[in-house]
């Protein structure tokens, strides 16, 4: 039986003494930041105590520090020294201030952990980011950094997520979750930079359920970075190369290659085969796009992360995009997000054979390796893979009842994990049928975790 109520795998281990010691400086800095925001203009922090600005500047200095940034350790230490210098300048006016002392202690602990010397260069308030025209993050950060200097406001490029899996279930850019028929070829994404099309075929005779057996991804030409490249996957043929046989395109760009923050050179567009014949990832660094394609059982799943500004770059003739606008109403199977959990007879039209009796929970059907599940058996099977009863769990149950193909359980699980790795907003990961109370229950804690995880990433690198 799976567990419920845990929104992050392994979260229970955060209470271990070693992790508490490791994350103490991060927690202290988070206390400093959140307490300063909550206290605001109250009398606890006087106008002369500028600890809130020191903390805000530190976040600004480190917000661009990712694995794709060269000299991560050096830049992080420079930011810490700048933070420390700022606290020293406001120490007199912040005497007795809890937020101030939490920040000072947190800085000291982080300097010890990162082996940062007290003496050395400090970061500029508005750091320059290396400009590489075929690296989307570098290119956009270069633009935003200059806007930050001029307008004193820092905005990072926004990203969108879209996923398709199972029978088939679609998660749109707006996090609308739909179950559709969409038999035949349909465009998921079609803009000036990227085109993604899927082909769906019927799964079970007598049912409207379909699943994806072909995916075509077209990376359109981008001057100075790459020529057009086409990737096509079909059932039992998940290649680790583009149609022309190449595995990469464009001039090398700087990007991280290791969990320790070391950087290396990769192409502007490349393919990574994670599991031969089962899991391939397409990385378009020049436009900031990641595409994950999997084969599970006889069918394919897809997950895409794309910058919002690129997803919106299309004309009126290309408005039929399932990721953008969802499925047409006539193609919808769900009812406003609610999946009809029909009895097995509607899906497989199973007739019990004469002869040995089968379990009351599941019975083998005449469709090869397919089974007929009762509602309880389907839920039990899905709980083995999916702990939280969100829409992925309900989609798993729906697929088992509709098709009897147990591979759809793994498809739902993998789709959920791909979403978690690509979706940019952790507080929107969980979707519950019909806007249940559980959605609200999980939302606020996840928002509070977002800032914490930002600091965790910086520390663990």
């Amino acid at each position: 039986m799976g567990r419920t109520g845990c929104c992050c795998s392994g979260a229970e281990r955060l209470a271990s003494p070693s992790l508490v010691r490791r994350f103490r400086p991060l927690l202290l800095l988070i206390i400093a930041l959140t307490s300063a925001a909550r206290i605001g203009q109250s009398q606890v922090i006087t106008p002369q105590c500028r600890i809130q600005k020191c903390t805000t500047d530190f976040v600004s200095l480190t917000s661009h520090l990712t694995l794709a940034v060269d000299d991560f350790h050096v830049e992080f230490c420079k930011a810490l020294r700048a933070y420390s210098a700022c606290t020293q300048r406001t120490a007199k006016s912040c005497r007795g201030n809890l937020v101030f002392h939490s920040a000072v202690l947190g800085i000291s602990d982080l300097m010890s952990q990162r082996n940062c010397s007290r003496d050395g260069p400090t970061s500029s308030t508005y750091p320059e980011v290396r400009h590489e025209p075929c690296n989307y993050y570098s290119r956009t950060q270069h633009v935003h950094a200059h806007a930050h200097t001029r307008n004193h406001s820092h905005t990072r490029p926004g990203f969108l997520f879209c996923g398709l899996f199972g029978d088939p279930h679609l998660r749109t850019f707006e996090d609308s979750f739909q179950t559709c028929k969409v038999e035949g070829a349909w465009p998921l994404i079609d803009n000036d930079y990227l085109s993604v099309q899927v082909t769906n075929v019927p799964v079970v005779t007598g049912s409207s359920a379909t699943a994806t057996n072909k995916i075509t991804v077209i990376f359109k030409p981008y001057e100075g970075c790459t020529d057009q490249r086409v990737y096509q996957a079909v059932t039992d043929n998940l290649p680790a190369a583009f149609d022309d046989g190449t595995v990469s395109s464009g001039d090398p760009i700087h990007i991280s290659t290791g969990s320790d923050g070391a950087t290396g050179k990769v192409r502007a567009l490349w393919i990574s085969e994670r599991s031969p014949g089962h899991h391939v990832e397409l990385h378009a660094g020049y436009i900031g796009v990641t595409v994950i394609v999997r084969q599970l059982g006889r069918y394919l799943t897809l997950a895409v992360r794309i910058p919002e500004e690129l997803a919106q770059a299309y004309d009126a003739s290309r408005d039929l995009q399932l990721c953008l606008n969802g499925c047409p109403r006539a193609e919808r199977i769900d009812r406003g997000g609610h999946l009809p959990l029909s009895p097995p007879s509607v899906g497989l039209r199973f007739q019990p054979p004469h002869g040995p009796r089968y379990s009351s929970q599941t019975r083998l059907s005449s469709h090869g390796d397919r089974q007929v599940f009762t509602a309880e058996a389907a839920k039990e099977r899905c709980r083995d893979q999916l702990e939280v009863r969100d829409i992925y769990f309900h989609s798993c149950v729906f697929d088992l009842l509709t098709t009897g193909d147990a591979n759809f359980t793994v498809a739902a699980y993998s789709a959920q994990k791909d979403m978690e790795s690509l979706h940019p907003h952790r507080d929107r990961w969980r979707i519950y049928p019909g806007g249940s109370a559980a959605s609200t229950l999980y939302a606020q804690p996840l928002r509070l975790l977002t800032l914490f995880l930002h600091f965790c990433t910086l520390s663990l690198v």
Side-chain angles (χ1 to χ4, degrees), residues 180-314:
C180 312
K181 294 178 289 186
V182 287
E183 182 178 349
W186 290 78
L188 288 184
I189 300 172
D190 187 13
N191 55 55
D192 295 342
Y193 305 90
L194 178 71
S195 175
V196 179
Q197 180 176 279
V198 297
T199 301
N200 302 314
V201 295
V203 178
V204 178
T205 303
S207 171
S208 60
T210 65
T212 303
N213 73 341
K214 182 178 179 180
I215 294 174
T216 302
V217 183
I218 301 175
F219 296 95
K220 300 179 181 180
Y222 194 97
E223 185 176 0
C225 297
T226 182
D227 297 327
Q228 178 168 293
R229 288 292 186 275
V230 178
Y231 179 83
Q232 185 167 272
V234 297
T235 297
D236 295 333
N237 184 16
L238 202 66
F242 296 106
D243 277 4
D244 61 1
T246 60
V247 297
S248 63
S249 177
D251 294 330
I253 60 173
H254 283 90
I255 199 163
S256 170
T257 58
S259 59
D260 59 353
T263 59
K265 293 277 192 177
V266 297
R267 299 287 175 176
L269 173 63
W270 76 101
I271 294 179
S272 172
E273 186 178 48
R274 296 305 182 90
S275 177
H278 298 284
H279 179 187
V280 171
E281 296 186 2
L282 316 176
H283 300 274
Y286 69 101
I287 52 174
V289 169
T290 299
V291 180
I292 299 177
V293 180
R294 296 179 185 265
Q295 177 171 334
L296 298 161
R298 298 289 302 162
Y299 303 106
L300 307 177
T301 69
L302 179 79
V304 181
R305 173 185 168 107
I306 183 173
E308 183 174 2
E309 60 178 335
L310 271 58
Q312 299 294 338
Y314 66 94

Side-chain angles (χ1 to χ4, degrees), residues 373-383 393 396-397 400-401:
F373 289 84
T374 66
E376 286 304 314
K379 291 177 182 178
E380 182 176 352
R381 175 66 68 90
C382 293
R383 278 195 293 266
F393 172 84
C396 172
V397 174
L400 292 186
L401 292 178

Side-chain angles (χ1 to χ4, degrees), residues 123-446:
S123 297
S124 167
T125 306
Y126 308 114
E128 285 295 323
V129 180
R130 177 185 301 196
H131 175 49
E132 294 182 342
C134 291
N135 183 330
Y136 176 80
Y137 183 81
S138 169
R139 189 170 67 244
T140 54
Q141 284 298 103
H142 180 78
V143 173
H144 288 291
H146 285 282
H148 174 63
T149 304
R150 294 192 303 270
N151 304 326
H152 303 285
S153 61
H154 184 67
T155 58
R156 296 169 64 84
F159 287 83
L160 300 173
F161 171 83
C162 180
L164 186 77
F165 70 97
D167 196 13
H169 308 288
L170 171 71
R171 182 167 181 155
T172 71
F173 288 147
E174 297 295 328
D175 290 310
S176 171
F177 204 98
Q178 304 174 0
T179 300
C180 312
K181 294 178 289 186
V182 287
E183 182 178 349
W186 290 78
L188 288 184
I189 300 172
D190 187 13
N191 55 55
D192 295 342
Y193 305 90
L194 178 71
S195 175
V196 179
Q197 180 176 279
V198 297
T199 301
N200 302 314
V201 295
V203 178
V204 178
T205 303
S207 171
S208 60
T210 65
T212 303
N213 73 341
K214 182 178 179 180
I215 294 174
T216 302
V217 183
I218 301 175
F219 296 95
K220 300 179 181 180
Y222 194 97
E223 185 176 0
C225 297
T226 182
D227 297 327
Q228 178 168 293
R229 288 292 186 275
V230 178
Y231 179 83
Q232 185 167 272
V234 297
T235 297
D236 295 333
N237 184 16
L238 202 66
F242 296 106
D243 277 4
D244 61 1
T246 60
V247 297
S248 63
S249 177
D251 294 330
I253 60 173
H254 283 90
I255 199 163
S256 170
T257 58
S259 59
D260 59 353
T263 59
K265 293 277 192 177
V266 297
R267 299 287 175 176
L269 173 63
W270 76 101
I271 294 179
S272 172
E273 186 178 48
R274 296 305 182 90
S275 177
H278 298 284
H279 179 187
V280 171
E281 296 186 2
L282 316 176
H283 300 274
Y286 69 101
I287 52 174
V289 169
T290 299
V291 180
I292 299 177
V293 180
R294 296 179 185 265
Q295 177 171 334
L296 298 161
R298 298 289 302 162
Y299 303 106
L300 307 177
T301 69
L302 179 79
V304 181
R305 173 185 168 107
I306 183 173
E308 183 174 2
E309 60 178 335
L310 271 58
Q312 299 294 338
Y314 66 94
D315 56 45
S317 65
R318 294 177 286 171
D319 62 347
L320 180 58
Q321 302 179 49
L322 301 190
C323 285
L324 189 70
N325 298 315
C327 299
R329 184 177 299 274
E331 298 291 328
R332 296 279 294 272
I333 295 176
D334 64 293
R335 296 186 292 269
H338 292 276
L339 291 170
L341 301 182
S342 56
S345 59
V346 174
L348 294 181
R349 300 184 182 277
F350 172 73
Q351 297 296 328
H354 298 288
R357 292 187 177 182
Y358 292 84
S359 165
S360 61
Q361 294 295 304
T362 60
R363 300 181 184 138
L364 294 177
S365 77
S366 58
H367 294 272
D369 59 352
R370 293 195 176 99
Q371 299 172 314
V372 172
F373 289 84
T374 66
E376 286 304 314
K379 291 177 182 178
E380 182 176 352
R381 175 66 68 90
C382 293
R383 278 195 293 266
D384 290 340
Q385 293 279 344
L386 301 152
E387 297 179 349
V388 180
R389 295 194 183 189
D390 62 359
I391 195 66
Y392 290 91
F393 172 84
H394 288 275
S395 298
C396 172
V397 174
F398 174 83
D399 289 350
L400 292 186
L401 292 178
T402 305
T403 71
D405 187 345
N407 289 304
F408 283 116
T409 304
V410 184
Y413 172 81
S414 298
Q416 185 183 69
K417 293 306 175 185
D418 290 342
M419 179 276 297
E420 291 175 358
S421 69
L422 296 183
H423 198 295
H425 304 293
R426 182 177 293 265
D427 59 344
R428 290 161 59 182
W429 280 4
R430 303 301 179 204
I431 300 176
Y432 296 87
S436 65
S439 178
T440 304
L441 177 66
Y442 281 99
Q444 186 60 27
L446 288 173

